[in-house]
Amino acid sequence: MLFGNRILWHASLLAAGVSLASGLLEKPKVDGIPQYVLDYAPVCYLHHQELYFPSDLQAHLDNTTPQDDNFKKIDGAPSPLSLTNLNKLNDFAEGGKKVYLTSNDDITKDPAWLKGAAPDCDGKASDIIAVAVIVVDKGDDNIDAFFQYFYSYNWGGVVLKAFQAGNHVGDWEQNMIRFEKGVPKYVWFSQHGNGQAFAYDVLEKDGQRFVNYIANGSHANYAVSGSHDHTIPELNLGKGILMDYTDGPKEGGKLWDPLQNAYFYKFSNSTGKPTFTSSEPGKYPTEWLDFLGKWGDKQYPKSDKRQQEILGGITAKFVGGPTGPIDKQLDRKEVCPDNGNPCILRHILSP
Ligand SMILES: *[C@@H]1O[C@H](CO)[C@@H](O)[C@H](O)[C@H]1NC(C)=O
Ligand SMILES: *[C@@H]1O[C@H](CO)[C@@H](O)[C@H](O)[C@H]1NC(C)=O
């Protein structure tokens, strides 16, 4: 009897798709995009001191109100906001570009929703949707697969060991894998205003999947764990001014499997009109991906008592929220976005 129950228990665990040998859950079944996109998907580690975890897109909409460039609530905006009506905001404030999804709460009070959901030990962050996997067909059997990660809050770090700077509501970061005929060639890691590209072959792996280390607070993505110097984008303050910290399982970094918290899409801009489609027709909402505005509060003015300008106003404690996946050069030519920086394809693993 006991023995029989055990077999049943094991069978139900398998049916529910619980842990495989590597500690990861079984991959979701997704029609409409190549299986190799799932097979080579990133395995992420969040820093052991992370407080702002991957966040549910709908929960973010539930806790924000669209405002315009003058911090005024947008009259006539859809309410409640949802993943199927967010695109309607493009009817306001310069085609949506000056719409800011603004926190309903004073963020200095650290409301719970800003913190997202910490992954369980099997790498799944509750039942939230915090990732858009977006596949772009480049022709000739080549594709780019973007893994766009969402967090409701970005904690910017400490400048010169003194000033806490660069916080913002809403944070979009990404990895992109460039495949040639089903073979992963290069991976892009977004970091602040830019990022790094590495050959897939040199990356750390968990089986076939490469490892992505996510920096504490800023959620910048790195190919190796440890500390990383980063300067403030557009500012050349030199080394050691602002640091990103990442760590892996040995240091207590938290496993996160983005496939467990994702929606899956295809993207095409071949007609010059960006078009997102659900990988399986009708399965995943697409309207929200067309939203052209910002996913967080506009930068608070100096007169706002929460605000603090730093180093004579070159940066601030709170900066503005970012645009969404549509603004991440999904139809890029190079592995890197075209932003004036050289696109270095690294064949040696380095911080
Ligand atoms: C990680 O971020 C939290 C705030 O989000 C901060 O309190 C902590 O000091 C950070 N740790 C490191 C190593 O930067
Ligand atoms: C789509 O293509 C047009 C025309 O080439 C370009 O201006 C636009 O930036 C592209 N949009 C996206 C989201 O890739």
Side-chain angles (χ1 to χ4, degrees):
M1 193 58 201
L2 188 70
F3 184 67
N5 274 344
R6 268 200 184 205
I7 288 179
L8 274 181
W9 181 74
H10 274 291
S12 65
L13 274 186
L14 283 175
V18 185
S19 287
L20 299 174
S22 61
L24 290 164
L25 296 175
E26 204 173 295
K27 292 182 199 96
K29 298 267 171 287
V30 184
D31 287 340
I33 62 169
Q35 179 61 33
Y36 58 76
V37 171
L38 307 182
D39 292 344
Y40 292 102
V43 169
C44 301
Y45 284 95
L46 292 148
H47 190 270
H48 75 280
Q49 288 179 351
E50 183 61 73
L51 294 179
Y52 301 102
F53 290 98
S55 309
D56 186 52
L57 295 167
Q58 181 60 51
H60 192 79
L61 302 184
D62 293 343
N63 286 287
T64 55
T65 300
Q67 289 188 354
D68 66 14
D69 210 27
N70 301 312
F71 298 94
K72 292 256 153 45
K73 181 172 185 266
I74 293 178
D75 286 332
S79 176
L81 288 175
S82 73
L83 298 176
T84 54
N85 67 19
L86 202 65
N87 58 335
K88 298 268 186 327
L89 292 173
N90 293 346
D91 296 341
F92 303 90
E94 296 183 24
K97 290 191 174 130
K98 298 230 159 134
V99 175
Y100 299 83
L101 301 179
T102 305
S103 173
N104 295 337
D105 298 296
D106 177 353
I107 59 166
T108 62
K109 304 278 183 336
D110 225 11
W113 66 273
L114 283 185
K115 299 192 171 121
D120 300 338
C121 55
D122 56 17
K124 180 173 178 173
S126 183
D127 285 322
I128 67 166
I129 297 302
V131 180
V133 178
I134 303 172
V135 173
V136 187
D137 189 339
K138 315 291 280 183
D140 284 340
D141 220 1
N142 300 330
I143 68 155
D144 284 351
F146 287 84
F147 293 79
Q148 303 248 3
Y149 312 124
F150 182 69
Y151 310 84
S152 276
Y153 194 63
N154 177 101
W155 180 82
V158 179
V159 185
L160 291 170
K161 299 195 169 119
F163 312 100
Q164 217 271 287
N167 303 313
H168 52 88
V169 175
D171 191 19
W172 279 104
E173 298 287 345
Q174 86 268 181
N175 283 133
M176 185 273 278
I177 314 174
R178 175 154 290 183
F179 290 95
E180 291 174 16
K181 308 203 187 308
V183 179
K185 292 291 181 183
Y186 292 100
V187 180
W188 172 251
F189 293 78
S190 74
Q191 300 155 358
H192 306 279
N194 195 28
Q196 290 175 302
F198 286 95
Y200 166 82
D201 289 345
V202 304
L203 294 171
E204 287 180 26
K205 308 281 184 343
D206 180 330
Q208 288 181 309
R209 298 174 63 175
F210 70 93
V211 179
N212 175 44
Y213 296 98
I214 299 173
N216 185 46
S218 80
H219 311 128
N221 300 295
Y222 292 95
V224 295
S225 77
S227 52
H228 307 267
D229 254 312
H230 85 80
T231 46
I232 303 171
E234 285 97 54
L235 293 177
N236 198 2
L237 290 177
K239 290 209 159 251
I241 300 290
L242 189 52
M243 301 291 284
D244 265 335
Y245 300 96
T246 60
D247 57 23
K250 277 194 222 90
E251 300 79 30
K254 277 200 182 70
L255 173 70
W256 179 39
D257 179 357
L259 290 180
Q260 302 300 333
N261 299 105
Y263 280 166
F264 298 85
Y265 299 97
K266 291 182 272 193
F267 173 80
S268 164
N269 194 21
S270 53
T271 58
K273 186 187 179 298
T275 308
F276 294 94
T277 46
S278 172
S279 64
E280 290 175 55
K283 182 158 182 188
Y284 307 112
T286 58
E287 293 84 350
W288 66 276
L289 286 159
D290 293 322
F291 171 53
L292 295 174
K294 314 285 200 291
W295 283 75
D297 302 30
K298 190 184 177 191
Q299 179 164 338
Y300 306 141
K302 216 154 71 165
S303 58
D304 189 311
K305 62 180 190 316
R306 295 170 293 187
Q307 188 58 292
Q308 188 187 345
E309 290 200 338
I310 287 153
L311 305 175
I314 58 174
T315 187
K317 184 164 183 184
F318 297 101
V319 298
T323 49
I326 194 169
D327 199 32
K328 301 298 185 279
Q329 297 194 19
L330 297 169
D331 66 351
R332 63 183 66 174
K333 266 209 178 61
E334 307 293 332
V335 178
C336 319
D338 180 7
N339 58 13
N341 295 302
C343 188
I344 304 164
L345 301 176
R346 293 168 168 81
H347 288 264
I348 295 172
L349 203 53
S350 60

